[in-house]
Amino acid sequence: MKNKLIWTRIAKILCLLLCVLILSGACLSLCFYHDYTGILMAGLFREPEDTVDVVILGASEAYIDYSAAYAYDLYGFTSYPYAWDAATGMLYEAQVKEVLKRQNPKWIVVEINGILYDEVKDATNPNSLRIFLDHTPMGVNKLQTMAQFAPREDWYHYLFPLAKYHENWKKAYDQGGLLRDLLSVKKNGSVLKGYVTNVMPYDAPEGRDVSQDFSTAPLEPTSESYLISFLEFCRENNLDNVMFVRFPHIIASDWNYQRFQRCNQAEAIIESYGFPFVNMERDYKDIGLDFAADFYNDDHLNFMGQQKLTAYFGKILTEEYGLQPSVLTPEVQANWDKSAAYIRLFHDFCRERMENGQYDVYYETRAILEQLEARKP
């Protein structure tokens, strides 16, 4: 009888500890920093192995100007952006290593905004490093990247994010909503395939016609060193499936024009290493972009411009570079067919929001998916 009582108490204590651990884990999860970037990256990691034929690295242009689900709807190939705000070129190599753990893409596309910054503080932005490390699964690549770029005194914060974000419990309501959406993507995968857009009007300036402008300006030295290091890495590892691109911007300000000139300089360096470069800033007329209708600021396309850019770039990939429709299992194809259907519904949703003056940033959330589900015929 006494032994039974002891074992009963032990079982109760263990159950109590388990409950404490579960509740503590839930509370700690709320303290971590969550934003839609984490949702985008989680969606890529959730895609089945060797099913993504095009991965697009870059900053916000990579997931705002281009839609993987729409490209699949038009051309039948699978793709996914692996990008975040103000991403820097110093992490291209680490990103490629992370991609190749899970996928064997036919093309790795690099949107080169990350090496066009004009100041070293932007080229080495610690926030860019933190986003990568926070949302990358633990492994050798993560540790090597941390050791290479993070100050030693910050390693503890990278290894134990709670030390950095412990006061986020004050924002538990906002973080809870983002955590819910993140867990949904981690469980089910991304339906919209890493898509974000902004629905708002824009009083666009008249941009310069740079279609025949090949003038150059020097790259910031740190950025240039990152670019050359990445090109050497690609060449040494026989990565002949890497392509570099520049998505369109409105070239109106002097700063944007200087960035355009740096892009031309980067193009010369990239092509000297034998890698293809597609400069779509010179192609805005062929894309059919209207500065007033298709942008929401000088640097990003809205959902209408995104459709034009996706159609144009998809045509380049298929007609000029021979990309074929992806060969998928019935289960994976059904998942992408669902994404194609949902992106059409999402475009209708955005159009209605713009017409009704409901201007906002829209990305994949459970609430958005529920609204799209209700629109299905």
Side-chain angles (χ1 to χ4, degrees), residues 214-286:
F214 299 90
S215 61
T216 63
L219 294 173
E220 191 281 319
T222 303
S223 290
E224 183 172 356
S225 70
Y226 290 146
L227 174 61
I228 291 174
S229 176
F230 179 63
L231 292 167
E232 295 282 0
F233 165 80
C234 292
R235 191 158 65 178
E236 290 169 4
N237 289 275
N238 298 313
L239 296 176
D240 55 3
N241 60 334
V242 175
M243 172 194 305
F244 295 81
V245 303
R246 182 59 170 159
F247 286 165
H249 298 67
I250 299 178
I251 313 299
S253 66
D254 289 340
W255 187 84
N256 255 4
Y257 183 63
Q258 291 167 3
R259 189 165 54 162
F260 168 78
Q261 292 178 306
R262 289 194 291 274
C263 175
N264 287 343
Q265 177 66 19
E267 179 177 4
I269 296 172
I270 289 165
E271 291 183 340
S272 74
Y273 276 80
F275 292 96
F277 187 97
V278 180
N279 191 342
M280 283 175 265
E281 293 201 311
R282 296 201 200 103
D283 296 348
Y284 73 95
K285 290 182 179 179
D286 293 335

Side-chain angles (χ1 to χ4, degrees), residues 171-198:
K171 307 173 185 176
Y173 179 81
D174 294 333
Q175 293 296 297
L178 288 163
L179 177 60
R180 178 196 63 187
D181 295 324
L182 175 62
L183 293 176
S184 176
V185 169
K186 284 187 174 182
K187 178 182 178 182
N188 305 310
S190 172
V191 176
L192 298 178
K193 305 302 182 185
Y195 178 74
V196 178
T197 195
N198 196 313

Side-chain angles (χ1 to χ4, degrees), residues 127-147:
N127 290 333
S128 177
L129 177 63
R130 175 161 291 283
I131 290 172
F132 174 78
L133 292 175
D134 280 355
H135 298 295
T136 298
M138 183 58 69
V140 173
N141 184 39
K142 178 172 181 172
L143 294 175
Q144 287 178 338
T145 305
M146 181 189 72

